[in-house]
Amino acid sequence: MSKQLSVGDTFTHVRECDKYRPIYYAAASGDFNPIHIDPDAGKAAGLGGPILQGLCTLSWAVEGVVNHVKDATRIAKVKVRFSRPVMIDDTVTYVGKVTAIENGKAVFEISAKNQKGDDVLKGAVVEVRV
Amino acid sequence: MGIDKKHIGNKYGPTTYVVGAEKLREFAYAVAGGVPSMGFTGTGAPEGLLPQLHQGTEIVGMPSFCNVFAIAPFGQAVTDPKLGINLLMLVHGEQEYEFFEPIRPGDTITSTGEITDIFEKQAKDFVTVVTESKNQHGKLVVRGRWLAVIRQ
């Protein structure tokens, strides 16, 4: 059953970047850029190791909203800035809140922080058709 | 290094992608914390995957499954030898998607892209690519706005 939304609704969604997550995501998405799957390439690029594909970090934000509204087809828009790479063993906590309902859409503003409290996304917004 | 602004307006694609049900499942499962090729239940739903992606016998894709096909023209743009981008120095800066039609198994999706901006700021190069992906009915599935950041 698709969920009715109100301003102030919140959700929390937690995802861990386990050791193989960038490889699993590469297999599922086709994004095999070496900086995601090859520790040597990640280090050579000055990133300190392999980093998770940003689009997986984005997908987790969308997933959190889909889980909350219980209807994947209602997602109208997502917008994010990748402010910090997600590294192996990072845990990302997404907290979403409906800040407005306008023009037939509910606007979720989403914070996404790693276990140190650093933002991995900034300005993250997901809009849902109401 | 500075990427020549004359490449604004460069067009890429069309690329085509045929959506498979198993690929939709694999993607949703990889995002949901599973191993892409393992763990599907008797009903076809991966552990932890939303029943909402399985509406009866019908499957719809995670909206962000578009990552899989919409990236193609963006990939062509940033690997275009004329731009001379060192991929090891490239990071994904921003991403925006507008979702229209759902993604369904059997869809043939055609994606095109265009470089809409090139600029330099704080010793980094920025390239914006806008992609559009349409299904076999000619309906827009997703419009993407991709911002690549190239460290110099």
Side-chain angles (χ1 to χ4, degrees):
Chain A
M1 210 31 210
S2 209
K3 185 181 170 67
Q4 291 269 66
L5 294 171
S6 309
V7 172
D9 280 2
T10 61
F11 72 83
T12 301
H13 183 61
V14 180
R15 282 279 172 242
E16 185 194 344
C17 181
D18 58 279
K19 184 177 175 186
Y20 298 114
R21 191 57 37 197
I23 296 171
Y24 296 149
Y25 182 81
S29 70
D31 182 354
F32 284 94
N33 186 326
I35 64 170
H36 303 306
I37 58 171
D38 180 345
D40 293 337
K43 283 178 193 151
L47 299 165
I51 64 170
L52 183 67
Q53 291 87 344
L55 290 176
C56 187
T57 314
L58 173 148
S59 290
W60 284 342
V62 174
E63 183 196 21
V65 178
V66 171
N67 284 354
H68 184 73
V69 303
K70 305 195 184 307
D71 184 351
T73 65
R74 285 174 59 193
I75 308 297
K77 184 176 176 176
V78 57
K79 183 177 182 180
V80 304
R81 186 158 92 246
F82 302 105
S83 52
R84 180 179 289 269
V86 173
M87 313 293 293
I88 302 292
D89 292 334
D90 277 359
T91 298
V92 183
T93 299
Y94 296 82
V95 178
K97 183 175 182 181
V98 178
T99 56
I101 297 180
E102 54 195 16
N103 304 321
K105 288 169 191 161
V107 179
F108 280 90
E109 291 186 10
I110 299 174
S111 82
K113 293 181 188 292
N114 64 20
Q115 67 282 3
K116 296 172 198 154
D118 300 321
D119 289 309
V120 297
L121 297 178
K122 284 194 175 167
V125 170
V126 174
E127 294 181 5
V128 177
R129 296 181 190 96
V130 293
Chain B
M1 91 193 169
I3 300 169
D4 198 325
K5 281 177 178 283
K6 74 179 181 189
H7 297 299
I8 294 173
N10 284 11
K11 290 180 169 57
Y12 299 90
T15 61
T16 62
Y17 183 89
V18 180
V19 178
E22 295 303 335
K23 202 69 194 173
L24 294 180
R25 278 203 266 262
E26 284 189 358
F27 182 87
Y29 202 31
V31 169
V35 180
S37 58
M38 294 173 66
F40 299 116
T41 65
T43 62
E47 202 72 40
L49 174 61
L50 273 185
Q52 286 71 27
L53 296 178
H54 292 256
Q55 298 166 344
T57 55
E58 190 183 27
I59 295 172
V60 296
M62 281 281 285
S64 60
F65 182 80
C66 67
N67 294 348
V68 176
F69 51 80
I71 200 172
F74 170 72
Q76 289 180 352
V78 296
T79 57
D80 184 342
K82 294 197 291 286
L83 272 65
I85 292 172
N86 176 357
L87 283 186
L88 281 179
M89 292 295 119
L90 183 151
V91 291
H92 198 157
E94 295 178 12
Q95 182 65 41
E96 182 177 328
Y97 287 128
E98 293 169 86
F99 302 106
F100 301 94
E101 288 291 308
I103 302 163
R104 300 183 189 285
D107 279 356
T108 297
I109 298 191
T110 302
S111 298
T112 55
E114 178 176 347
I115 295 178
T116 58
D117 201 9
I118 294 173
F119 59 97
E120 191 173 354
K121 198 169 73 179
Q122 296 171 340
K124 290 178 184 141
D125 292 310
F126 296 79
V127 177
T128 302
V129 179
V130 171
T131 60
E132 287 199 338
S133 303
K134 293 181 178 174
N135 65 19
Q136 67 277 18
H137 307 298
K139 290 190 170 169
L140 189 59
V141 172
V142 62
R143 182 182 295 120
R145 186 182 148 275
W146 309 66
L147 179 69
V149 182
I150 302 101
R151 297 172 294 147
Q152 296 176 350

